[in-house]
Amino acid sequence: MMDIRFQAGGGERWKAEAVLAFFFEGEKVEQAAPVLEQAVPWLSIAPAWRDFRGKKGEMTVMYGPAAMDIPRVIALGLGDREKAGREDGLIALRHAVGGALRLCRDHGLESVAVEMSSLERIAPVYGFDGPGLAREIALAALLGLYRYERWLSVKKDSSSDPRWLAFLFREEHVNDAVREAARLAEAEAAGLCLARDLANGPANEVTPAFMASTAEELVSRFAEWGMSCHVLGPKELEERNMGAFLAVSRGSEREPRLVVLEYSPRGAEGKPLALVGKGITFDSGGISLKPSAGMAEMKGDMSGAAAVMGVFEALGRLAPGWTPPCPVVGLMPCTENMPGGRATRPGDIVVTMSGRSIEIVNTDAEGRLILADALTYAQKNWNPGGIVDIATLTGACAVALGKGNAGLFANDDTLADLLHAAGCRFGERNWRLPVWESSREILKSNVADMVNSGAREGGALHAAFFLSCFVEEGMRWAHLDIAAADTGESPVNVRGATGFGVRTLLDAVRSAQQWRLN
Ligand code: BES
Ligand code: MN
Ligand code: ZN
């Protein structure tokens, strides 16, 4: 991964093969980057300014003499300043940075930099302070360079990735808040890239056992800071009466795993926050088989679990310098959903760990089954202060909110508001949808306590309501349906998994104090 560095002491001390400079539409270099203009003697007379307008998506490389300490400035357009504060303004900024880093890679540049006082200038437009925006830029740079190359017999040439990104300071000392911000971005990038790798990985590699060994490897690096892992196999799931989880796994030759990560470092106090991620490593639909068109995408049906894993990677990387206010538990029920000879049939009735029975009328509504038992297990074992689950749960949510967006459901307004704000701020947009009692009718069974799937209309709501039935009275809970959110293609995301949810969940951990005490 590209390094984040710092250079202090002003223009005479700065050195990088390219510097990124940001422009709102119509701005001149002396307005947008006066400090850079001072430091780079050739900059104001670079001929290419003549055609640069600062429009959204515009990118022009300004060239100076090759022998200069700063021989290039990459001018990036951010569009209309008045409009930049709106929700998609920050997206344009992230894309500009991702695109610029890809350009640096294409040109084989080893180093790239951003001058801090120019960031301080534009940060308020986006509702950030300087360090906050530095974090966004560092992260966008790292994500822009991400690619999934695991199975390519000839790897793309990674030696041409920039080796470092530097933040440039006029002052003699590096600002500690920017250092912190960069560390946070690096931790987030590591978490996001792990989540992407897992979700991009094919189901013949990323199996339930692979998810377990990934968690074990992760913990082996962070154990000294208070991270631990345990894994439950079929026997343990049987002993704990997780009938719904086991029902989903029955059609597969591969054994299920309930992967549990725990982080309780010194200083983290009180009840834990539980994060529960759907880990269907492949969703064929089971006996209620899906159509073959697009079925390959169902290798990504463990994106929720991948996001939880990513959060723990980030938490580990932040240790021991930063400690969450409360312990964190991550639960990842992992299994395939397959139509084997022993597979659960439509009409089968199972008993969940909670004791409630479910008539499985559609084996393709499997996510809620594994989550039901995972939610019960989380509550029985840890009595958490709050639970957030994240799952590629319903096509209906994808239809409702569109690609890149998540549905948010919650029984607690403080928690919901916090997750919504974090999602908007960190490029993982979610929108709240209701959990309504009226779903109860729709999920009525005539032979069991409930069915696992009801009407097509409002499918995302019924799924969320189903989950809420396994949340005990008084327990704070939120559910993110990321069915449409985990795939994308943009300058900060090669086509495939996005790692959606890592940043939002990490923020929920960071602000656990707020929602727990309210
Ligand atoms: N994993 C799917 C949901 C999904 C669909 C995720 C498309 C990403 C893209 C889930 O298990 C599923 O099959 N849901 C069904 C539920 C239905 C049977 C009630 C769906 O949405 O069709
Ligand atoms: Mn399904
Ligand atoms: Zn599924």
Side-chain angles (χ1 to χ4, degrees), residues 246-306:
L246 284 163
V248 175
S249 73
R250 273 197 225 295
S252 170
E253 294 291 322
R254 296 190 161 93
E255 288 184 354
R257 295 282 183 272
L258 178 54
V259 183
V260 183
L261 284 167
E262 281 186 79
Y263 184 43
S264 38
R266 213 184 302 248
E269 279 156 22
K271 292 180 177 181
L273 167 62
L275 305 176
V276 183
K278 171 177 173 182
I280 297 290
T281 59
F282 187 74
D283 182 10
S284 71
I287 298 297
S288 313
L289 195 64
K290 285 183 182 295
S292 45
M295 200 198 276
E297 282 169 37
M298 287 299 121
K299 70 174 184 176
D301 208 20
M302 31 55 71
S303 299

Side-chain angles (χ1 to χ4, degrees), residues 23-319:
F23 295 82
F24 293 117
E25 205 165 327
E27 284 182 336
K28 297 281 166 246
V29 62
E30 60 268 25
Q31 297 167 279
V35 176
L36 195 61
E37 197 206 7
Q38 286 287 311
V40 181
W42 55 265
L43 186 57
S44 55
I45 56 164
W49 288 120
R50 230 182 297 152
D51 292 332
F52 183 77
R53 297 285 171 271
K55 287 202 166 27
K56 193 190 279 187
E58 206 177 343
M59 173 161 71
T60 302
V61 187
M62 308 290 167
Y63 289 98
M68 292 267 135
D69 282 341
I70 294 175
R72 288 177 203 79
V73 169
I74 304 177
L76 299 168
L78 299 174
D80 190 340
R81 189 192 175 108
E82 304 311 314
K83 291 186 189 154
R86 299 184 197 162
E87 41 157 355
D88 57 347
L90 195 56
I91 299 174
L93 178 78
R94 290 192 182 100
H95 287 185
V97 172
L101 268 287
R102 288 180 185 184
L103 181 97
C104 292
R105 173 161 70 192
D106 292 345
H107 291 189
L109 308 186
E110 288 215 331
S111 58
V112 52
V114 181
E115 193 272 314
M116 269 314 294
S117 73
S118 65
L119 285 196
E120 301 278 356
R121 182 187 73 97
I122 63 171
V125 175
Y126 298 101
F128 283 97
D129 57 5
L133 196 63
R135 170 182 169 195
E136 296 307 309
I137 286 171
L139 183 58
L142 291 164
L143 294 180
L145 294 174
Y146 170 85
R147 39 193 182 189
Y148 181 72
E149 298 193 290
R150 166 91 174 80
W151 300 93
L152 301 184
S153 59
V154 181
K155 308 270 188 255
K156 306 213 176 81
D157 187 5
S158 271
S159 65
S160 59
D161 272 18
R163 287 192 9 251
W164 49 266
L165 166 73
F167 288 102
L168 310 178
F169 296 84
R170 267 184 302 182
E171 302 77 13
E172 285 305 314
H173 296 286
V174 175
N175 179 329
D176 281 339
V178 177
R179 251 187 226 284
E180 260 323 283
R183 261 177 54 80
L184 188 49
E186 286 178 313
E188 286 181 306
L192 281 155
C193 292
L194 172 60
R196 289 179 178 189
D197 280 346
L198 289 170
N200 284 329
N204 59 337
E205 181 196 32
V206 182
T207 60
F210 186 91
M211 293 295 284
S213 57
T214 301
E216 280 157 359
E217 185 278 331
L218 193 156
V219 157
S220 73
R221 286 180 284 128
F222 305 126
E224 62 179 309
W225 312 125
M227 206 177 275
S228 62
C229 168
H230 70 270
V231 177
L232 282 64
K235 219 176 102 244
E236 292 82 14
L237 301 177
E238 205 84 62
E239 283 163 16
R240 287 167 181 77
N241 301 314
M242 298 202 203
F245 183 6
L246 284 163
V248 175
S249 73
R250 273 197 225 295
S252 170
E253 294 291 322
R254 296 190 161 93
E255 288 184 354
R257 295 282 183 272
L258 178 54
V259 183
V260 183
L261 284 167
E262 281 186 79
Y263 184 43
S264 38
R266 213 184 302 248
E269 279 156 22
K271 292 180 177 181
L273 167 62
L275 305 176
V276 183
K278 171 177 173 182
I280 297 290
T281 59
F282 187 74
D283 182 10
S284 71
I287 298 297
S288 313
L289 195 64
K290 285 183 182 295
S292 45
M295 200 198 276
E297 282 169 37
M298 287 299 121
K299 70 174 184 176
D301 208 20
M302 31 55 71
S303 299
V308 172
M309 197 88 79
V311 170
F312 278 78
E313 177 72 37
L315 288 171
R317 299 242 180 177
L318 289 168

